[in-house]
Amino acid sequence: MSDSERRPTLARYSSGERTNHWLIALGFVLAALSGLALFHPALFWLGELFGGGPWTRVLHPFIGLFMLIVFLPLAASLWGDNRMQAADWQWLRRWKDVVNNREEHLPEVGRYNAGQKLLFFVLGACMIGLLLSGLVIWRAYFSLYFSIGVIRLASVVHAVCAFVLICAILLHIYAAIWVKGSLHAMLRGTVTPGWAWKHHRAWFRQITHAAHPRTRPD
Amino acid sequence: MALQSLDIVRRSATTTAPPGVRAAYTGTVAKLIDTTKCIGCKACQVACMEWNDLRDEIGSNVGVYENPGDLSSESWTLMRFTEYENPKGDLEWLIRKDGCMHCADPGCLKACPAPGAIVQYSNGIVDFHEENCIGCGYCIAGCPFDIPRISKRDHKAYKCTLCSDRVAVGLEPACIKACPTGALVFGTKEDMQQHAAERVEDLKSRGFEQAGLYDPPGVGGTHVMYVLHHADRPELYAGLAADPHISSLVGLWKGVSKPIALAAMAFTVLAGFFHFVRVGRNEIDERDEAAARQALEAAPQRNASQRPGAQPPEKRP
Ligand code: HEM
Ligand code: SF4
């Protein structure tokens, strides 16, 4: 196969969406590193990256808010493509085929597969949880409006949501490495037809009008 | 002060043993507050201001005896007043000197994320080392007695030090020196328990059947103890906790769940790595590209670089 045939040609993400995504990623990394500094003593040294303990405490909530604010437009624009459908549950039940790269056994996937959709909702839920609990434990401005009992609960909720979010994002990062070509989609915006055909065939058909399923020539 | 003092037995956000765990032969100290002898003169509050060089903001009179209205970063001890009508219909004026209880199992220290911002000495005193404090306020959430306060000026946490600086050089806390009635006494915890036992016996002989010592076991006992006329109902004394203990939410937040969560995050990374090693990347090959090409050729029109959603959804036969 020649290089030109391999060149990514299908547009998957606009430059606006890419910018948005990487702003979220930046916000996440900074929020996670500054938060983890307070999460466990073994990671307190991460605070040095932000200018020491007090600066970490000062900056973290603002970084978190930044992340949340940049998350909103992307979440709004991808909302429609991330609704779970019947085939998605079937896809999830076949998770063994998913992790073993046996995509031919899976139902056809639209713009996003069920794993990506779940990630989308886990992120959304964690963001809401982090925002609400984060405001309650934000000592400098908001904690005075809440009872100590509520603050204790919020501390636990914040730590749990942060934990779930970090694990989810670690999986998300690995998935981007695992499924070759995904990273290019988010960095340069395009994918090859073969990539779309293999991983998101329903989406491929939708955007190319390639109507009926064809069997692979093998 | 870091570890310059070798008698630190507990240090916040520190997973290795501090030097003080080696020995505490001399026993611990305690302040005994005898509420039955207190006349509410607030000499102790003034002594605390003086020794620690603290001046709170002048507040306004809202018609209560408490002055200032609450503990603050500038007021480390506060007389709280309760007018209690006992079953006989008599008025009892219950006065309690509020402040840090110097818990043997301190919730503030457990909650603190900053290494060495809160320490516990082998003499039992729980001390905040403000140079390590980051101002997050977790100690407030951790404390079962609602004691620590964050300063609005330097955003660090403050509370009663039990005059650790004075005690370290063999002096008693400033409040003890100032008390005119002997309601405040200071010594070894053992001596204070004995002294309290005598006081309780005396009170019982004068009709206070429920008199007793407040040294709550839920926090491992405290190094500030009360003699109460109504030890069966501590909450009468301006809401003194009847059974204080570190909240189970704080236990969940700061307990084994944290190392487990850390391990789980590390495991997630490792799971990815070993998936890569065992299963490998999910790649596309020539056959996928060929199949896609065929599909594209069969398509009514080629819209290869069209944005999704830019055209009406396809109609299937
Ligand atoms: C949505 C906005 C957010 C707000 C307002 C917020 C606020 C806070 C506050 C006030 C604290 C206590 C320490 C401090 O005062 O700095 C905290 C702790 C923390 N935050 Fe956030 N945060 C937000 C988002 C995030 C995000 C996106 C993450 C990570 C992915 C995160 C992870 C953490 C962690 C791990 C801790 C330490 C929890 C613990 O002590 O157990 N936060 N956050
Ligand atoms: S009373 Fe509160 S501040 Fe004092 S030692 Fe106990 S937990 Fe810490």
Side-chain angles (χ1 to χ4, degrees):
Chain A
M1 177 186 300
S2 76
D3 260 6
S4 67
E5 284 166 322
R6 270 224 119 130
R7 200 173 298 141
T9 48
L10 294 178
R12 191 159 162 88
Y13 293 111
S14 69
S15 56
E17 284 169 328
R18 273 149 32 216
T19 309
N20 197 337
H21 174 272
W22 290 110
L23 283 177
I24 301 172
L26 178 73
F28 167 80
V29 169
L30 295 178
L33 291 179
S34 56
L36 285 173
L38 308 177
F39 188 80
H40 189 275
L43 299 176
F44 190 74
W45 58 274
L46 288 170
E48 296 303 320
L49 300 173
F50 299 85
W55 273 112
T56 304
R57 181 265 304 167
V58 170
L59 293 175
H60 171 82
F62 291 105
I63 299 171
L65 278 186
F66 166 79
M67 170 181 171
L68 185 92
I69 289 165
V70 290
F71 179 72
L72 291 178
L74 196 69
S77 82
L78 299 185
W79 178 266
D81 291 318
N82 276 290
R83 270 181 300 221
M84 292 295 274
Q85 275 144 7
D88 289 319
W89 299 110
Q90 202 186 339
W91 191 95
L92 284 176
R93 276 195 296 275
R94 301 252 176 101
W95 63 273
K96 280 191 188 139
D97 292 322
V98 175
V99 297
N100 287 305
N101 297 343
R102 292 191 295 257
E103 251 163 299
E104 57 282 8
H105 298 180
L106 298 171
E108 280 194 9
V109 167
R111 189 164 186 215
Y112 293 109
N113 65 41
Q116 293 170 307
K117 290 178 182 179
L118 276 188
L119 177 88
F120 181 83
F121 285 107
V122 168
L123 293 194
C126 287
M127 295 275 182
I128 294 168
L130 283 167
L131 173 72
L132 297 179
S133 59
L135 292 178
V136 172
I137 60 174
W138 199 343
R139 182 58 58 183
Y141 306 112
F142 301 108
S143 291
L144 68 161
Y145 302 113
F146 300 96
S147 74
I148 288 182
V150 173
I151 294 173
R152 283 177 186 150
L153 183 66
S155 304
V156 176
V157 169
H158 201 79
V160 170
C161 288
F163 165 70
V164 173
L165 180 64
I166 291 170
C167 288
I169 294 288
L170 288 173
L171 290 177
H172 173 67
I173 294 170
Y174 176 65
I177 300 169
W178 168 30
V179 181
K180 196 174 174 191
S182 312
L183 207 54
H184 190 275
M186 198 42 95
L187 282 169
R188 301 300 309 123
T190 52
V191 294
T192 67
W195 186 93
W197 172 264
K198 182 166 187 198
H199 303 306
H200 299 276
R201 197 165 301 169
W203 174 68
F204 172 84
R205 291 223 180 78
Q206 191 200 335
I207 60 167
T208 61
H209 281 214
H212 52 98
R214 289 239 184 152
T215 42
R216 287 162 44 127
D218 55 0
Chain B
M1 233 185 272
L3 292 179
Q4 139 193 355
S5 163
L6 292 185
D7 46 16
I8 287 171
V9 287
R10 274 197 232 209
R11 191 171 182 271
S12 60
T14 303
T15 43
T16 51
V21 298
R22 291 171 310 151
Y25 298 122
T26 41
T28 59
V29 296
K31 167 159 74 181
L32 185 68
I33 302 172
D34 189 342
T35 58
T36 67
K37 279 188 177 178
C38 176
I39 56 171
C41 70
K42 302 176 182 165
C44 51
Q45 283 185 212
V46 174
C48 181
M49 287 167 61
E50 230 177 70
W51 177 257
N52 296 300
D53 198 14
L54 302 168
R55 300 293 182 274
D56 212 333
E57 267 170 50
I58 311 274
S60 46
N61 187 342
V62 294
V64 297
Y65 287 103
E66 278 88 357
N67 177 18
D70 193 12
L71 294 170
S72 76
S73 55
E74 319 297 323
S75 296
W76 298 349
T77 188
L78 173 68
M79 312 311 297
R80 296 195 186 270
F81 298 78
T82 309
E83 290 172 4
Y84 166 59
E85 205 180 302
N86 68 20
K88 277 187 273 169
D90 294 334
L91 181 77
E92 288 181 29
W93 208 18
L94 305 179
I95 308 167
R96 175 168 70 90
K97 173 176 149 56
D98 195 10
C100 177
M101 301 295 288
H102 295 272
C103 310
D105 187 12
C108 56
L109 190 149
K110 179 161 192 160
C112 178
I118 304 182
V119 298
Q120 184 181 46
Y121 298 113
S122 55
N123 65 9
I125 294 178
V126 178
D127 220 355
F128 286 9
H129 283 174
E130 278 78 12
E131 79 269 30
N132 295 328
C133 174
I134 63 169
C136 63
Y138 286 6
C139 51
I140 303 174
C143 174
F145 295 97
D146 184 18
I147 299 299
R149 296 288 186 270
I150 302 266
S151 164
K152 291 199 173 51
R153 280 181 279 177
D154 70 355
H155 297 279
K156 304 220 179 277
Y158 291 91
K159 68 162 189 69
C160 158
T161 65
L162 205 60
C163 284
S164 55
D165 48 351
R166 292 174 56 89
V167 173
V169 294
L171 299 173
E172 57 187 9
C175 54
I176 311 287
K177 264 198 109 70
C179 181
T181 66
L184 298 182
V185 266
F186 181 82
T188 66
K189 176 144 180 175
E190 225 182 309
D191 283 352
M192 292 304 104
Q193 282 166 326
Q194 272 172 26
H195 179 66
E198 287 162 22
R199 288 293 305 140
V200 167
E201 207 182 287
D202 180 48
L203 284 163
K204 284 192 171 155
S205 74
R206 291 150 176 252
F208 289 103
E209 297 294 331
Q210 302 302 329
L213 175 67
Y214 183 85
D215 180 18
V219 290
T222 53
H223 293 276
V224 170
M225 305 183 293
Y226 292 112
V227 171
L228 304 176
H229 339 59
H230 309 287
D232 55 330
R233 296 170 67 193
E235 51 306 337
L236 283 181
Y237 299 79
L240 178 60
D243 177 26
H245 52 265
I246 297 179
S247 153
S248 50
L249 281 173
V250 175
L252 177 66
W253 174 36
K254 289 287 168 172
V256 286
S257 54
K258 276 289 166 73
I260 291 175
L262 273 191
M265 288 185 225
F267 177 80
T268 310
V269 175
L270 283 181
F273 178 73
F274 283 107
H275 179 271
F276 189 95
V277 168
R278 292 167 58 96
V279 182
R281 296 181 81 174
N282 187 344
E283 298 182 36
I284 36 175
D285 54 27
E286 296 80 33
R287 287 170 307 179
D288 297 306
E289 293 295 356
R293 222 167 24 248
Q294 275 188 22
L296 282 175
E297 277 152 17
Q301 76 212 82
R302 219 187 128 121
N303 286 312
S305 49
Q306 199 118 20
R307 293 285 305 126
Q311 45 189 295
E314 65 163 320
K315 290 182 201 74
R316 280 171 189 268

